[in-house]
């Protein structure tokens, strides 16, 4: 138990301070530590009582959501919390399985050619496009809209192949951004704000370029790791894991909605 306590103490010094006991227990097991979830909960309660109290105080009112199956709808959105520091995140998530289709850190998430390239890469990897794509009103998804409409041009519902709306109503990926911030990004936000507070970051081109050089690849690797960890978690209200449902829906009597060419 001492090794587990030591491991959790080290995690609390980094972005692990944002984890609840379930995520922390998963981190322990991934590091080769065999520990019960209840033991992790008790250790966290003693080592980080303030963090536990803050997490307990949160309440979420869930809205109704419907998707027929994997690849029924992909949700596109950008995450701008690190944008003042020159780090722009763009993501796409499957609305049904909540499997992350892609997550990219780059110096922009507003260029339609860049976002369109992400979309085409995802279509190539998954050997098809979704039935629908949900994005924001912004111009960054202009090429995605054109590509999706073209790929679904022969479908009866091709006029609704791309759905746009307010970013705040794009609930599936907004939920993912909340998860990402709670379990990872808040740590980086605070680290970079600390640089700003001690006047080591002014926000000019040189400083943003230095942040990109030092942190862009690192953050990309870190968030990809958390994406992989999320895929091994059970869906809310279900005993099933994210990845098997996404890749092998048939045994679960779920409709595969991917549009192939």
């Amino acid at each position: 138990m001492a090794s587990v306590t030591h491991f959790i103490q080290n995690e609390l010094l980094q972005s692990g301070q944002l984890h609840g006991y379930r995520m922390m227990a998963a981190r322990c097991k991934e590091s080769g530590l065999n520990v019960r979830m209840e033991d992790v909960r008790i250790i966290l309660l003693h080592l980080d009582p303030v963090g536990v109290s803050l997490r307990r105080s949160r309440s979420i009112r869930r809205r109704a959501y419907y998707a027929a199956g994997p690849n029924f709808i992909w949700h596109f959105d950008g995450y701008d919390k690190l944008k003042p520091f020159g780090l722009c995140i763009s993501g796409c998530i499957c609305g049904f399985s909540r499997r992350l289709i892609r997550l990219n850190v780059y110096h922009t998430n507003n260029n339609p050619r860049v976002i369109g390239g992400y979309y085409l890469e995802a279509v190539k990897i998954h050997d098809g496009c979704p039935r629908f794509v949900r994005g924001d009103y912004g111009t960054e998804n202009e090429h995605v809209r054109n590509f999706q409409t073209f790929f679904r041009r022969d479908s009866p519902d091709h006029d609704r192949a791309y759905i746009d709306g307010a970013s705040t109503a794009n609930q599936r990926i907004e939920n993912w951004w909340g998860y990402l911030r709670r379990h990872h990004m808040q740590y980086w936000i605070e680290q970079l704000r600390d640089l700003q507070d001690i006047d080591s970051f002014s926000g000019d081109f040189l400083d943003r370029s230095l942040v990109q050089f030092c942190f862009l690849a690192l953050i990309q690797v870190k968030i990809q790791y958390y994406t992989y960890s999320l895929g091994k978690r059970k869906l809310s209200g279900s005993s099933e894991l994210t990845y098997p449902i996404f890749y092998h829906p048939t045994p679960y009597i779920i409709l595969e909605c991917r549009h192939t060419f």
Side-chain angles (χ1 to χ4, degrees), residues 9 11 82 133 168 218 222 229:
Q9 284 176 326
E11 287 294 301
L82 293 180
V133 168
T168 52
L218 176 61
K222 290 289 187 180
S229 298

Side-chain angles (χ1 to χ4, degrees), residues 9 40 64 92 102 110 126 189 195 197 223-224 246 253:
Q9 284 176 326
V40 173
C92 173
R102 62 165 187 81
N110 290 329
H126 294 92
I189 291 171
L195 292 177
D197 291 342
I223 61 179
Q224 288 298 135
F246 181 84
I253 318 179

